[in-house]
Structure formats: C-alpha cells, structure tokens
Amino acid sequence: MKLLPPALLIAALSSGATQAAETELWRLDCGTIAVKDMNAFSDNFAYRPAPKTLTNSCYLIRHDGDYLLWDTGLPLALLNAPTDPEAPMSATLTRDLPAQLADIGVTPDRIGRIGISHGHFDHTGQAATFPQATLMIGQPDLAAMEETPPPFGFDPATLNHWRTGNGAVEVVTGDRDIFGDGSVTMLSMPGHTEGEMALLVRLEKTGPVLLSGDVVHFHEQIGAKSVPAFNMSRAESLASMARLEEVAANLNATLVIQHDAADIAKLPAFPQSAK
C-alpha cells in the first residue's frame, strides 16, 4: 500500500472532519418570586429570617439553525400579577417568552426543543406556547405528572399537550447530549425532584456555562448545605449540589444559578447573547 505524503494525509483527514456547530446563549426573563423568609429553602434553619426575591430565568440556545428553550418560566396567568408581601411566596411575570423572542427575530415556531430542568410550574409555565417543540424532561418528573395528587409544585396542566400524546416527547434518563456533539448536555442531578437536571452549554468564546436548574436556588445554599424541606431527597440534593460545584470547578465553567438575581450579570444583558 502506497502511503500519502504527510501534507496530503492531513488534507485528506481535514476534508472529512465536521465543522463545529455555532452555539449561542441568551438569558430570558421568566418572572420573579418574592419569598417572605429565606428559611423556606433551608431544612437546617441556616439563615436569619429575612425576605428574598428570586429571579425566574429561562434560556435560549441556538445550535447552528436549531433552537432549544431551557425552561419556560411562570404561567401566563401571572402576567402583571401583583405580589403579596405577606404570602410565603408570591410570583409575578412582566413579559412573556414570545415577546422577548420577537426582540431577537425568533418566532415561537422555530423552537425545536424545550428542555425542562424539572417539573415545577415555574419552569413549565409557558411550555404550551411552543406546541411544535419536542419536550425533553427527566423520566421521573414526567411520570410524577400522573400521580394523584401530583407532587408539590407540579402543575400537570402546563404539559397537557405532551401528556395527551399531541406533542413529541423525549424522555431523559441520566445525562443526555442533546445535539450529539457535546455542545449542550443535560446533567442528571436529582434531589430537588427525582428528575432534576442541570444544563451544560459549551460556548466558543465564553467557555462552558453551567445552568443550575433548581439544584440550588441561591449561592448561600451551597456553603450552608441547606436543602429546602420540600425537596424529594436531602441526601440526593447534597450529592447533586456537590456534583454541580465539581463540574463547574473541573471545567472552569461559569456557574449560573437560575433563581439567584446576582447571577443575571454573569451573562450579557438581553437582547445580547453569549457566544
């Protein structure tokens, strides 16, 4: 067999290589949640009793010409709803997802996939706005939608389109490489719910970005090892919190805690994107 000269061999190998997909990430505003006492998120009473406002963030990821929406925020019924400072938790929404997508020229029908970090209503609220999208959700959380009554925080009606067989569903168990090239990966991190997921997005210029889902709700939880009493498992929650930190450290990734308002500034302000 005649061997190719090195220069021709390199050229031949290069011609068969696939070009890396262009990946882009936007942070979208999906509402706010006023919490009367931070200890609602701590089963070990780690905090001084004090109110805290959580942000509710969603994210749009472009993978070449494909669009993935990560979480769909609070329901439209809460659009411009007043908050009640005396309620344990009170949520409101100021802009819906289609209005924000219009700012960057993306119509709802272009969303090919919806990735759900977990089944709570503040992450599934506007899913029905994108009926053509394939729903990607952890298998235990999809199954929990059928329980009577459903677990705390679940609103099965938000996913009725997919639960009734009218929409495509991709059930996720374990970690899932969404596009098959390592650029966007759902990471299994149970505890808050049994199907809880985080999302790792690898960007060419920004580097890896790790979106927390509800593995943690704000940074203080990590140091205090505090777990909301409504989580499904304390042990799994702590293990997933540790994995979240380890992944961020090992990849030198930007960790974005989706409910922590302090982390909004870690990504460009909408309508700008991270690349």
Side-chain angles (χ1 to χ4, degrees):
M1 181 178 68
K2 185 177 180 181
L3 295 176
L4 290 172
L8 292 179
L9 179 60
I10 292 171
L13 291 172
S14 298
S15 67
T18 57
Q19 184 175 356
E22 186 176 76
T23 307
E24 193 171 5
L25 171 68
W26 290 264
R27 185 261 171 185
L28 304 171
D29 182 1
C30 283
T32 56
I33 303 171
V35 180
K36 187 176 181 180
D37 182 358
M38 287 174 62
N39 279 307
F41 292 85
S42 174
D43 62 357
N44 58 359
F45 305 99
Y47 316 118
R48 296 178 61 184
K52 190 174 184 69
T53 298
L54 304 182
T55 189
N56 208 41
S57 298
C58 304
Y59 301 88
L60 179 70
I61 296 101
R62 181 180 66 81
H63 180 270
D64 281 346
D66 296 325
Y67 286 91
L68 163 73
L69 185 61
W70 178 249
D71 285 338
T72 63
L74 290 163
L76 292 175
L78 291 174
L79 192 62
N80 299 318
T83 56
D84 180 0
E86 296 307 312
M89 296 185 200
S90 183
T92 189
L93 183 68
T94 57
R95 290 193 80 195
D96 64 24
L97 284 169
Q100 294 177 74
L101 294 175
D103 289 347
I104 55 175
V106 177
T107 55
D109 62 288
R110 293 183 67 187
I111 305 301
R113 295 175 176 86
I114 296 173
I116 299 296
S117 64
H118 64 290
H120 286 175
F121 79 99
D122 55 321
H123 294 258
T124 64
Q126 296 175 62
T129 310
F130 310 95
Q132 76 294 331
T134 296
L135 178 72
M136 303 186 72
I137 185 171
Q139 185 277 330
D141 281 17
L142 185 62
M145 293 282 178
E146 308 307 320
E147 295 179 12
T148 304
F152 171 85
F154 281 65
D155 182 359
T158 59
L159 299 182
N160 272 351
H161 176 73
W162 294 270
R163 292 175 54 243
T164 56
N166 292 311
V169 179
E170 189 172 332
V171 178
V172 180
T173 56
D175 295 351
R176 177 65 58 87
D177 182 346
I178 294 177
F179 296 105
D181 61 0
S183 61
V184 185
T185 307
M186 294 174 73
L187 300 176
S188 177
M189 297 197 185
H192 181 61
T193 67
E194 287 303 315
E196 175 71 49
M197 297 278 175
L199 190 73
L200 176 64
V201 183
R202 297 175 187 263
L203 300 170
E204 183 179 358
K205 295 179 181 178
T206 304
V209 175
L210 183 57
L211 304 175
S212 70
D214 276 11
V215 177
V216 290
H217 296 81
F218 40 86
H219 281 278
E220 294 93 330
Q221 278 185 279
I222 298 175
K225 291 183 169 50
S226 60
V227 172
F230 51 83
N231 276 23
M232 297 298 293
S233 166
R234 183 172 221 279
E236 286 188 337
S237 294
L238 291 174
S240 291
M241 288 164 62
R243 186 188 184 198
L244 191 77
E245 284 191 284
E246 289 163 4
V247 170
N250 291 337
L251 295 179
N252 194 26
T254 300
L255 173 59
V256 177
I257 296 178
Q258 294 182 210
H259 278 304
D260 197 323
D263 279 10
I264 292 175
K266 289 183 177 180
L267 295 174
F270 187 81
Q272 299 301 312
S273 66
K275 297 180 180 179

